Amino acid sequence: MYIGVDLGGTNIVVGLVDEQCNVISTKSRETNSCRGKDPIIKDIIEMIVEIKSESIEDIKAIGVGIPGFADKAGNVKAIINLKWKNVNLSEILEGKFKIPVAIDNDATVAGVAEFEAGAMRGYDNGVLLTLGTGIGAGIIINGQVFNGSHAIGSEIGHMVIGENFYTCNCGRNGCFETFASSTGIIKYAEKLLKEGENSEVINNYIKGDYSKLNAKIIIDAAKKGDSLGLKVFNRAIKYLTIGILNIMNIIDPEVIAFGGGVSNAGEFLLEALRIEVEKTRYNKDFPVPEFKIAHFKNDAGIIGAAMIGKHKIN
Amino acid sequence: MYIGVDLGGTNIVVGLVDEQCNVISTKSRETNSCRGKDPIIKDIIEMIVEIKSESIEDIKAIGVGIPGFADKAGNVKAIINLKWKNVNLSEILEGKFKIPVAIDNDATVAGVAEFEAGAMRGYDNGVLLTLGTGIGAGIIINGQVFNGSHAIGSEIGHMVIGENFYTCNCGRNGCFETFASSTGIIKYAEKLLKEGENSEVINNYIKGDYSKLNAKIIIDAAKKGDSLGLKVFNRAIKYLTIGILNIMNIIDPEVIAFGGGVSNAGEFLLEALRIEVEKTRYNKDFPVPEFKIAHFKNDAGIIGAAMIGKHKIN
């Protein structure tokens, strides 16, 4: 039995996970990120103690997924949104629980969940792209997590692929995630609406309140044939395809899985991507990766975290 | 002792290489690419026979670097410029010489040479970028050649990073190599000159004959402070940096080595890149790879080829 911790910007979720990636039980508390690291770590420890007491089997290892960077030793190097820098979290948890603790980036951890028991199961080389507020990536190469020589790679969301009308959070222009994340989709729809383009379908939902715009409303409008919805969706597909072809040209994976809010578009998204990739790729007789929707939704974080704990002892 | 074969678009070079990557002797013939595969393979075999007869030690393996793609079994999948498709070259050579034969992409093979005995020696994770007619890449991850699950990765030159004023050979727009290869540099200088911008330094060389433009003339002009030369050089640095930051964000290597004609600019190139990377990268406290000029010039192909042969038997 393993414990997986999903430290998010909004919630901390701790789960008991068995060898087969089944989630036995979970606990959740609000992160309340502004309160600083010590009370958050205290909460994590208390939740691990609680969930540990529910397990009739020994806990072999703990894994933690964080919305930031950890070094190879499992210490947190930086979580920008929580303002954490150089926090020896694995040392603290190992000292407390006397079992191995592994820490890695949340998208990497979600990639591990998909590789162990989800959409990338059975493949040796795969990339999970989480199309949410930003774009996260979990890369598996030869059956192993890949995140670079200092564990700061796999940041595919900040790969520059063109020029965009707004600047990325990272301060640069043209990052993949500014074109193809939920945020990128919403911002482009808002831009068109503010420039006077009309969409009855979308306006029925938002009634002039741009803060109500979300990727689902826009993609649903595209599904209904709404011209503004289609224009925004097609632009996202164009740039998603540029990013995917870059991934194919560099990493050449067997499978690419899509998670995050945008992936709820399901087959509508995959089919559009398959067509655009086929249309624009170079060597038409070379193999193309499988495109799949990620299997896990909210549980990816705790399952993947538990599995990086498991990998640490195996 | 090993034999390395460098099959290029212009010349075929075959070399005798020892365990320590020393080139003992070489033979060269013109590729004469239009004559088709059979006479070229015949030449390769004859040259191997000749060079083998010069070795007093046994030849343990043969490696071949090709300007195209090979599959994991060592067969040529495609060499676009030579119009080769699915040629079982390793089978032919193994049948003839009864020793192991390895085949890989020329930039990958050059990366292996730099990793074994050149600028990337002593690092476990590195990327060689050859800035020539195009941009080739040789990726080493955890001390191993990395070229993807179908051996069609590592094509960093075709990573799209923006929009350019001309289309890439591959049919797409915005490929890295259209901005930062010799070709990209020459095309932009030609465009500016044709648009009426003047450069005394460059015109002294080319005297209105655009076919005389090359990367050396342009970068030398930049070194002398020529404003057109600097404009072209700075644009190449801007986009090289975008490509490098993408590589850092995805692969996070310890070292990036630069080969090919543009790399003859040496420290002038490296220093400009270090400044631009420092200025535009995101997490300023994260490590940056070492930037180095590749060690091998013309010999990279035969040394690296010999070494992939060596790897095949070890």
Side-chain angles (χ1 to χ4, degrees):
Chain A
M1 202 67 75
Y2 304 91
I3 288 175
V5 179
D6 180 5
L7 172 56
T10 313
N11 292 302
I12 309 164
V13 187
V14 176
L16 194 62
V17 181
D18 72 12
E19 294 275 349
Q20 287 74 42
C21 296
N22 298 304
V23 178
I24 311 302
S25 69
T26 61
K27 306 275 170 196
S28 176
R29 293 187 190 177
E30 278 182 24
T31 308
N32 199 354
S33 63
C34 53
R35 63 190 165 142
K37 73 177 169 54
D38 291 336
I40 292 177
I41 294 173
K42 190 166 165 281
D43 268 2
I44 292 174
I45 291 174
E46 284 176 11
M47 292 162 80
I48 293 174
V49 169
E50 283 172 30
I51 214 144
K52 203 164 167 270
S53 71
E54 291 179 10
S55 176
I56 45 168
E57 286 178 42
D58 275 354
I59 305 297
K60 293 182 186 163
I62 297 168
V64 186
I66 58 165
F69 301 91
D71 64 19
K72 299 268 181 198
N75 292 309
V76 177
K77 290 172 77 166
I79 305 177
I80 314 276
N81 290 338
L82 303 189
K83 299 196 174 69
W84 287 25
K85 220 170 178 175
N86 300 319
V87 179
N88 56 346
L89 186 58
S90 69
E91 219 174 290
I92 294 170
L93 297 179
E94 283 180 351
K96 178 77 189 166
F97 296 104
K98 316 291 179 204
I99 50 174
V101 176
I103 302 187
D104 214 323
N105 171 267
D106 50 9
T108 295
V109 154
V112 170
E114 295 298 332
F115 170 68
E116 290 281 340
M120 307 205 290
R121 186 176 178 151
Y123 298 90
D124 276 339
N125 298 280
V127 176
L128 169 71
L129 294 178
T130 57
L131 312 174
T133 312
I135 295 183
I139 305 177
I140 304 288
I141 291 178
N142 297 331
Q144 305 277 329
V145 164
F146 175 78
N147 55 16
S149 58
H150 318 92
I152 56 175
S154 183
E155 283 292 307
I156 293 179
H158 293 288
M159 165 174 73
V160 167
I161 60 168
E163 284 177 35
N164 210 348
F165 63 90
Y166 75 100
T167 302
C168 184
N169 284 338
C170 78
R172 298 174 72 210
N173 187 282
C175 290
F176 187 27
E177 68 178 39
T178 66
F179 294 103
S181 64
S182 309
T183 310
I185 288 172
I186 292 165
K187 286 209 185 242
Y188 187 59
E190 187 175 337
K191 175 178 148 69
L192 295 183
L193 289 165
K194 284 184 174 166
E195 284 170 3
E197 290 202 33
N198 191 30
S199 160
E200 215 173 300
V201 185
I202 292 174
N203 267 327
N204 274 345
Y205 282 100
I206 67 166
K207 305 208 186 295
D209 179 359
Y210 296 122
S211 73
K212 287 189 179 150
L213 268 177
N214 62 45
K216 185 177 178 341
I217 289 173
I218 298 161
I219 297 175
D220 281 349
K223 282 183 181 171
K224 285 178 189 154
D226 174 74
S227 72
L228 190 143
L230 276 170
K231 191 167 174 180
V232 176
F233 179 72
N234 289 340
R235 181 177 188 262
I237 293 297
K238 174 186 161 188
Y239 284 102
L240 250 178
T241 299
I242 291 176
I244 290 167
L245 290 176
N246 283 358
I247 292 167
M248 287 165 60
N249 277 329
I250 302 170
I251 299 175
D252 171 29
E254 298 163 271
V255 58
I256 301 179
F258 300 91
V262 177
S263 75
N264 291 327
E267 198 53 37
F268 185 67
L269 174 76
L270 296 187
E271 196 48 28
L273 287 177
R274 287 188 194 109
I275 291 168
E276 185 71 11
V277 164
E278 197 51 40
K279 206 170 76 186
T280 54
R281 75 197 184 98
Y282 176 30
N283 274 302
K284 302 283 189 206
D285 46 353
F286 279 8
V288 173
E290 293 280 324
F291 296 149
K292 295 187 161 195
I293 298 297
H295 179 80
F296 298 108
K297 303 288 176 198
N298 299 329
D299 285 348
I302 43 175
I303 294 171
M307 290 303 110
I308 61 164
K310 179 180 169 183
H311 290 175
K312 192 161 183 185
I313 56 170
N314 289 331
Chain B
M1 201 67 75
Y2 304 92
I3 288 175
V5 179
D6 181 5
L7 172 57
T10 313
N11 292 302
I12 310 163
V13 187
V14 176
L16 194 63
V17 180
D18 71 12
E19 293 276 349
Q20 288 74 41
C21 296
N22 297 304
V23 179
I24 312 300
S25 68
T26 62
K27 306 274 170 197
S28 175
R29 292 186 191 178
E30 278 181 25
T31 309
N32 200 352
S33 62
C34 52
R35 64 190 164 141
K37 74 177 167 55
D38 292 337
I40 291 176
I41 294 173
K42 190 167 165 281
D43 269 2
I44 291 173
I45 291 174
E46 285 175 11
M47 292 161 82
I48 293 174
V49 169
E50 283 171 30
I51 213 142
K52 203 164 168 269
S53 71
E54 292 178 11
S55 176
I56 45 168
E57 287 177 42
D58 275 356
I59 305 297
K60 294 182 186 163
I62 297 168
V64 186
I66 58 166
F69 300 91
D71 64 17
K72 300 269 181 197
N75 292 309
V76 177
K77 290 173 76 165
I79 304 177
I80 315 277
N81 289 338
L82 303 187
K83 298 196 174 68
W84 286 25
K85 220 170 178 177
N86 301 320
V87 180
N88 56 346
L89 186 58
S90 70
E91 219 175 291
I92 295 170
L93 297 179
E94 283 181 352
K96 179 76 189 165
F97 296 103
K98 315 292 178 203
I99 49 173
V101 176
I103 302 186
D104 215 322
N105 171 268
D106 50 10
T108 295
V109 154
V112 170
E114 296 298 333
F115 171 68
E116 290 280 340
M120 307 205 292
R121 186 175 179 153
Y123 298 90
D124 276 340
N125 298 280
V127 175
L128 170 71
L129 293 177
T130 59
L131 311 174
T133 312
I135 295 183
I139 303 177
I140 305 288
I141 291 177
N142 297 331
Q144 305 277 330
V145 164
F146 175 78
N147 55 16
S149 59
H150 317 93
I152 56 174
S154 184
E155 283 291 308
I156 294 179
H158 294 288
M159 165 175 71
V160 167
I161 60 167
E163 284 178 34
N164 211 348
F165 63 90
Y166 75 100
T167 301
C168 184
N169 284 339
C170 78
R172 297 175 72 210
N173 187 282
C175 290
F176 187 27
E177 68 178 42
T178 65
F179 294 103
S181 63
S182 310
T183 309
I185 289 172
I186 292 164
K187 287 211 185 240
Y188 187 59
E190 187 174 338
K191 173 178 149 71
L192 294 184
L193 289 166
K194 284 183 175 167
E195 283 169 4
E197 290 201 33
N198 190 30
S199 160
E200 215 172 298
V201 185
I202 292 174
N203 266 326
N204 273 345
Y205 282 100
I206 68 165
K207 305 206 187 299
D209 180 357
Y210 296 123
S211 73
K212 287 189 179 150
L213 267 177
N214 61 45
K216 185 178 178 343
I217 290 172
I218 297 160
I219 297 175
D220 281 349
K223 282 183 181 172
K224 287 177 186 153
D226 175 75
S227 71
L228 189 142
L230 276 170
K231 191 168 175 180
V232 176
F233 179 72
N234 289 339
R235 181 177 188 262
I237 292 297
K238 174 187 161 185
Y239 284 102
L240 251 177
T241 299
I242 290 175
I244 289 168
L245 290 177
N246 283 358
I247 292 167
M248 286 165 58
N249 277 328
I250 301 170
I251 299 174
D252 172 26
E254 298 163 270
V255 58
I256 301 179
F258 300 90
V262 177
S263 76
N264 292 327
E267 197 53 36
F268 185 68
L269 174 76
L270 296 187
E271 196 47 29
L273 287 176
R274 288 189 193 109
I275 291 168
E276 185 72 10
V277 165
E278 197 50 41
K279 206 170 75 186
T280 53
R281 76 198 184 96
Y282 176 31
N283 273 303
K284 302 283 189 205
D285 48 352
F286 279 8
V288 172
E290 293 280 322
F291 297 150
K292 295 186 160 195
I293 297 298
H295 180 80
F296 297 109
K297 303 287 176 197
N298 300 328
D299 284 349
I302 44 175
I303 294 172
M307 290 304 108
I308 62 164
K310 179 180 169 183
H311 290 175
K312 193 163 181 183
I313 55 171
N314 289 333

